[in-house]
Amino acid sequence: MLRSRFRRLAAATAVAVVGLGALTACGDGGGEDENSSGPVKLRFLSLAWQKESLQANKDLVAKWNSEHPDIQVEYVQGDWNSVHDQLVTSFEGGDAADIVHYEASAIGEFSKQGYLADVSKLLSADFKGQIDPGVWDTVTLDGKVTGVPFLLESQVVIANKKLLDAAGVAVPPADGGWTWDEFQANAQKLTKPGQYGVAWALKSPTNRVMNLALNYDGKFFYTDGGKTEVKVGDAEKEVPKRIHDMLYTARSASPEALGMSGADTLPGFFGGKYAMLPGSVSLRQQMVEQAPAGFEWVTLPPVKGLSSKQAANPQTLSISADSKHKKQAAQFLEWFLNPTNMATLAKGDWLVPTGKQANEELVKATGGKQGWDVAADSAADLTVAPFQKVDGYPEWKTKYATPALQQYFANKITLDQLATQLVDGGKQVLR
C-alpha cells in the first residue's frame, strides 16, 4: 500500500528529513495556552517527499501564512520510514505536532489510544460532502473520525498502446473498464512467442489480492459477536484462481514477474516483453519519467468482477488530541484541502484526490492526459475493506498470507491448500 510505495522509492529521492528533535521540539506548538497573545501557532508534520509534492506542500503553507497572520503554520518535514516511531514517542511525550500526515491503515492504533481528535464536528458539512462515505469509513473507528482522507491509490492497468493496436485490442473508456473475463481474453490475444499479455508483479502479493478480492465481494475477514476469523470461500478464491489460470493454463502471464516489484517489470515492459502491467495508479509517473522516446502507453481502468470495488487506504491528515488549537487546525485543513489545493497535491504525488470537485479540477487542468481521466474515475470505487479493520492483519499477512500466496502463484500448492493455510494462519493470529 502507500507505505510500501514510499519505502521502495525513498532512497531515490533527495528529501531533507528533520529528525525526532524537530518533531517533538517544544517551541511554538499546539501546547501553548489558548488565550496567549499573538498569533496562534500550529505545527504541521508533513510526509511529502517527491519533489513536486514537497514544493506544493511548502508553497501552500507559505500562502496560508501570508493570508492568515493570526494563524501561523510551521512546516515540519517527516519521513515515511520513521514516522511511526516518531509519533509513538511524540504522542507519549505530549509534544506531537498539531496536524499529522499519515495513512488510514496506520492511524487506528493512535486513535484507539486517544491521541487523535475526532474531527467530525470540526469540519463543515460542505467539506465532508466532497468525500464519499466509503472513504470516510477508512478513518472512522468506534464512531470517531480521526483523520481527513485526501489522497488515494487505486489499482489500474498500464498497457503498451502499439501492442494493443497490433492485436486489435481496443482501449476501453475511462469509465468503462474490462471485466475480468475480457481482461483475460485480451491478455491471451496479446500473448505470442517472446511476448506475454501481462506481467503480474507479485513480490508482495497479499495487499494486491486483498484489494482485488473486493471485485467479487471477497472479504477474507469475518466478524461475528466480537470474534473475527478468516474464511476463504468462492468469493475469496476468485481472483487468486484467475491470476493462477493466466500463469499456468492460458500462459498469458509471465512467471518470471512473480518475484518482481512493479518497478522491476519496467525494462521488460518498455522492451515489448509484457503488453500490460496491472499496478498502482502511481506507476504512471515512471511511465512519464522513464519510457523511451516514442513509446506509447495508456492507462486502462480498473478491471471489474461483480464490481470494480477496491480497498481504499488514503493518506490522511489528523489533528492531535493534545492540540490547544483544534478549531484553527481544522480551519487550516479545510483550506489546505480545498478542491484546487487537493488537486495540486494529488498531481504532485501522482495519486487520486478524495474530493469530487478536486478530481474534476485535476482532470480539467491536465486534460485527462497521462491517465488522469482514468485515475479520477477510479476514486468512486474505493472503499473500506474488512482487512483494514483487523488488528492482527499485519502479522497474518507477514507470517501466513504472503508465504502461502507466493507458494500458490509459484504452482507449489493447490487452491484448497492455499485456503487452508490462510484459515489456519488466522486461527493462530486472531485467537
Side-chain angles (χ1 to χ4, degrees), residues 211-230:
N211 242 311
L212 296 178
L214 292 182
N215 288 180
Y216 290 95
D217 201 28
K219 297 181 173 65
F220 286 95
F221 292 91
Y222 293 81
T223 301
D224 183 26
K227 178 177 175 57
T228 299
E229 59 183 330
V230 175

Side-chain angles (χ1 to χ4, degrees), residues 84-162:
H84 181 272
D85 291 342
Q86 290 179 338
L87 288 176
V88 169
T89 302
S90 62
F91 279 133
E92 289 178 350
D95 292 316
D98 298 89
I99 299 163
V100 175
H101 180 184
Y102 210 3
E103 62 180 350
S105 65
I107 65 173
E109 64 174 285
F110 299 115
S111 179
K112 289 178 181 178
Q113 295 176 67
Y115 292 134
L116 302 178
D118 182 354
V119 298
S120 60
K121 295 180 180 178
L122 295 172
L123 302 171
S124 69
D126 287 345
F127 178 84
K128 290 184 286 187
Q130 282 289 315
I131 301 173
D132 284 334
V135 178
W136 279 115
D137 285 345
T138 65
V139 292
T140 303
L141 185 67
D142 297 331
K144 295 181 179 180
V145 180
T146 53
V148 179
F150 72 109
L151 294 180
L152 294 161
E153 186 171 17
S154 58
Q155 298 294 314
V156 295
V157 179
I158 306 296
N160 183 321
K161 180 65 164 56
K162 289 183 178 179

Side-chain angles (χ1 to χ4, degrees), residues 71-328:
I71 305 174
Q72 294 290 286
V73 176
E74 176 191 353
Y75 182 93
V76 180
Q77 185 62 57
D79 175 22
W80 282 94
N81 293 306
S82 58
V83 67
H84 181 272
D85 291 342
Q86 290 179 338
L87 288 176
V88 169
T89 302
S90 62
F91 279 133
E92 289 178 350
D95 292 316
D98 298 89
I99 299 163
V100 175
H101 180 184
Y102 210 3
E103 62 180 350
S105 65
I107 65 173
E109 64 174 285
F110 299 115
S111 179
K112 289 178 181 178
Q113 295 176 67
Y115 292 134
L116 302 178
D118 182 354
V119 298
S120 60
K121 295 180 180 178
L122 295 172
L123 302 171
S124 69
D126 287 345
F127 178 84
K128 290 184 286 187
Q130 282 289 315
I131 301 173
D132 284 334
V135 178
W136 279 115
D137 285 345
T138 65
V139 292
T140 303
L141 185 67
D142 297 331
K144 295 181 179 180
V145 180
T146 53
V148 179
F150 72 109
L151 294 180
L152 294 161
E153 186 171 17
S154 58
Q155 298 294 314
V156 295
V157 179
I158 306 296
N160 183 321
K161 180 65 164 56
K162 289 183 178 179
L163 295 185
L164 263 62
D165 291 343
V169 176
V171 176
D175 60 352
W178 293 330
T179 65
W180 270 92
D181 287 343
E182 290 169 332
F183 173 63
Q184 290 174 259
N186 287 328
Q188 189 72 63
K189 291 179 183 178
L190 290 160
T191 299
K192 61 183 183 180
Q195 176 183 306
Y196 285 100
V198 64
W200 284 101
L202 294 172
K203 182 178 182 179
S204 301
T206 308
N207 282 349
R208 177 78 66 87
V209 170
M210 295 292 113
N211 242 311
L212 296 178
L214 292 182
N215 288 180
Y216 290 95
D217 201 28
K219 297 181 173 65
F220 286 95
F221 292 91
Y222 293 81
T223 301
D224 183 26
K227 178 177 175 57
T228 299
E229 59 183 330
V230 175
K231 295 182 181 179
V232 182
D234 291 342
E236 287 75 23
K237 291 178 179 179
E238 190 69 32
V239 167
K241 182 180 184 302
R242 286 178 178 271
I243 295 174
H244 191 276
D245 285 349
M246 295 177 80
L247 286 161
Y248 302 106
T249 302
R251 298 186 184 276
S252 59
S254 169
E256 70 179 10
L258 290 176
M260 297 182 181
S261 66
D264 294 335
T265 61
L266 295 183
F269 180 68
F270 294 143
K273 194 172 184 179
Y274 321 123
M276 298 187 291
L277 298 180
S280 166
V281 69
S282 64
L283 192 59
R284 296 170 303 128
Q285 181 181 12
Q286 281 97 305
M287 296 296 115
V288 171
E289 295 177 351
Q290 299 179 30
F295 185 88
E296 293 184 60
W297 59 276
V298 290
T299 305
L300 309 182
V303 180
K304 294 186 293 188
L306 300 176
S307 72
S308 300
K309 287 183 179 179
Q310 297 181 26
N313 181 30
Q315 291 185 39
T316 56
L317 293 177
S318 299
I319 298 175
S320 171
D322 283 342
S323 173
K324 297 295 176 62
H325 307 293
K326 296 182 184 65
K327 290 182 179 179
Q328 291 89 340

